[in-house]
Each structure stands twice: as structure tokens, then as C-alpha cells.
Amino acid sequence: MLAARMRFVQYLRKGDLAKRLGLLADDQKSLVELSGVEGVPCDLKTLIAQSPNLEELSKKAEKQPKLAINDDVTLLPPLTDPGKIICIGLNYQDHCDEQNKPAPKEPMFFSKYNNTLVGPKDNVIAHKASDKIDWEVELVVVIGKVARQVAKEKAFDYVFGYSVAQDISARDWQKERNGGQFLLGKSMDTFCPLGPAVVHKSLVKDVYNLPLKTWINGVEKQNGNTGNMIYKIDDVISRLTESITLLPGDIILTGTPKGVGMHRSPPEYLKPGDVIKTEIEGLGTLTNNVVAP
């Protein structure tokens, strides 16, 4: 019962001025509100930092009424203000292969900003500044407690859960402009759809056996498996915390499999009117429309 309920969402009801915290049903069709429970905050980052007793939280949630997810409910990113959004490039062997590049000798870290975050059904802007906007499905790791100098064998103790991200990328700004620095190409507004939930790690039996896919306009473009990561989650957390303190609610995007638009023949890029569907089995689905600015 505990694992089946631990899918955390942030949302708005029609007329709300402040976000609410809830638990999403497995079918993504309904939720129960947590932020109405005594002692429970209205945002997930604060809840994670409190190290809540999830058994007690689950029992309280069972007494809450269900709310159908319809046009009066807007799912937000399950985390709207992580302290850090850390990404890893070239972390799937088949993604290296499609570029004719060797696997990196150590993880290639970069970052995105919070302005990129949008919800599971929000629009992605096709910014006029770029004509090479691309897709990347990614497994997200959510940090559960303060992490410094973490030994590899202890790394999963610091994981709260997992989510789904679409790491939208302006390839011209990532590869050809800005001196080769990734930041602008990765951090344009709306360039990180996230959600629909943060799924507690207790619900994920094997994080290294999760199919992850992207469809554009109903056509499958990416079909990979998290087992093909080059640098695994425990290794990544250990390496990062040698020099960076990770905090509750920080997120790590762990890389993408082959099938991105840039490395197709001919290359394919997103344009207004396109629909991006992103899915990781057991974690959920994002459906985002691409719109003009």
C-alpha cells in the first residue's frame, strides 16, 4: 500500500493562487491532496527536507478524498524550485555511437536553470533564437537528504525518488554558438518538462531496467533502457559529492539514449505544432505541445 501511493505531485485547482501537494494515482487519472493534512507543507521540496515518515503519511492520505484530474486541475512540475538541476552528457553508449564518439572517460556534467521547468502537459516554446530544437528523454534522480563525500555503496541512501524529464536542447546554441558552452542551449524557457510525479524509490524495483521512450507526433523516435547508462547513479552521486553538496530536492538528469533529432539522417528538429510524448515505464508520461513564442 505504501509504495502504491508514493507518487508525489504539485498542482493547482481552478482559482488557486498557491500550489498544492498531492499523491497521484497509478493511472494518472486522480489524486489525493496532502497539503490539507496537518503538518504537511504545500511543496515537495520542503516535504523531502523534513524526512517524513512515509508510513504515517500514507495512512493520512487514505482518509483524504480523491480528486479527478480534469480541466480544472493543472499538474505542475513536481519540483518547481530545485536548488540544482545537474545533467550528464553522453551517458548512454548508443547515444555515443550515433555520434561516432567514444564513451567519455569520466561523466560530463552540465546544468540547466529552473526557468526551464514546466509541467507534464505544459507547452514547450520554439524560441525564435534557435532553429535546431531537439528532444532527449531522461530519467531524473531526486536527492532526499544532504549529501557530501558520499561513498558509492551508500549513494542510494541519499535518493528520494525518480521522475521523467524531457531535456529540450537548442543544438545550435549548444554546439555552434556560445563558445561551445551548453548553458544557453539547455536553459531556454520551458526546456525541461518534468513529471508527472516524483515516484518514491520504494516503488521502483530495478532502476536499471526501465524502458524510456520519446514520440514526436505519434512516431517513436527514442526507445532505450536505463540499464544502458555508462555511469550509474551511485557512481554519479559519489563523484558529484566529492566537491558539490547535494541538497534535498536537487535533481540529476542521467542522460539520454539514441534517437535524438540532431543525429538522424536528415536531422529532425522540433517546430510549432509538434507534440512530444515522453515516457518511462512505471514512472509516467509527459505530453507537451510545441508552440511559437
Side-chain angles (χ1 to χ4, degrees), residues 5-275:
R5 287 187 170 273
M6 294 294 107
R7 298 176 178 269
F8 295 89
V9 293
Q10 295 183 152
Y11 67 100
L12 294 171
R13 295 192 307 196
K14 190 174 182 178
D16 279 350
L17 298 178
K19 62 178 176 281
R20 299 170 184 260
L21 181 64
L23 291 175
L24 185 66
D26 290 352
D27 61 7
Q28 298 186 208
K29 294 181 179 179
S30 65
L31 59 83
V32 295
E33 183 174 358
L34 282 180
S35 45
V37 175
E38 183 178 356
V40 177
C42 295
D43 70 285
L44 181 55
K45 180 179 171 181
T46 301
L47 180 73
I48 293 172
Q50 291 177 348
S51 299
N53 183 312
L54 297 182
E55 290 286 355
E56 291 183 4
L57 195 62
S58 181
K59 291 176 182 178
K60 291 178 180 179
E62 289 175 4
K63 300 176 183 179
Q64 298 293 104
K66 285 186 178 181
L67 176 66
I69 297 175
N70 52 33
D71 291 342
D72 292 333
V73 176
T74 300
L75 290 179
L76 304 172
L79 287 158
T80 44
D81 60 343
K84 304 174 194 69
I85 303 174
I86 299 172
C87 309
I88 310 170
L90 296 174
N91 200 33
Y92 280 69
Q93 185 61 55
D94 56 3
H95 184 46
C96 297
D97 294 343
E98 70 178 343
Q99 303 177 57
N100 295 313
K101 290 184 175 180
K105 294 181 179 179
E106 58 187 4
M108 188 175 75
F109 294 116
F110 60 94
S111 61
K112 295 171 82 85
Y113 287 144
N114 288 348
N115 60 292
T116 62
L117 293 170
V118 292
K121 295 184 179 180
D122 287 338
N123 293 333
V124 169
I125 297 171
H127 293 275
K128 291 181 179 179
S130 174
D131 57 8
K132 294 183 178 180
I133 300 175
D134 204 349
W135 57 82
E136 294 187 8
V137 57
E138 308 220 4
L139 172 72
V140 176
V141 175
V142 180
I143 297 300
K145 57 185 180 180
V146 176
R148 336 184 156 84
Q149 301 289 326
V150 175
K152 186 175 175 180
E153 59 271 18
K154 298 287 187 180
F156 281 101
D157 294 345
Y158 294 82
V159 173
F160 180 81
Y162 305 99
S163 193
V164 183
Q166 180 56 243
D167 178 17
I168 305 295
S169 308
R171 300 300 191 192
D172 38 7
W173 284 91
Q174 178 190 0
K175 302 286 189 177
E176 303 163 14
R177 306 179 66 176
N178 197 38
Q181 297 292 318
F182 281 18
L183 185 63
L184 291 181
K186 293 287 189 174
S187 289
M188 295 184 185
D189 290 351
T190 73
F191 271 22
C192 191
L194 179 70
V198 169
V199 179
H200 190 260
K201 63 183 178 182
S202 61
L203 185 52
V204 180
K205 293 181 179 179
D206 184 358
V207 74
Y208 297 131
N209 189 24
L210 299 177
L212 65 173
K213 299 180 181 181
T214 299
W215 295 261
I216 306 298
N217 302 325
V219 178
E220 185 180 280
K221 299 296 184 180
Q222 291 184 280
N223 185 344
N225 189 287
T226 55
N228 294 324
M229 284 183 203
I230 297 169
Y231 293 99
K232 307 296 188 184
I233 293 165
D234 51 356
D235 190 15
V236 165
I237 290 173
S238 181
R239 288 172 184 261
L240 281 171
T241 59
E242 288 177 354
S243 56
I244 296 175
T245 300
L246 299 178
L247 300 176
D250 286 352
I251 62 177
I252 303 170
L253 279 63
T254 55
T256 198
K258 71 175 182 179
V260 300
M262 181 181 189
H263 299 297
R264 292 180 167 269
S265 183
E268 301 175 16
Y269 296 107
L270 296 168
K271 61 187 184 303
D274 287 342
V275 179

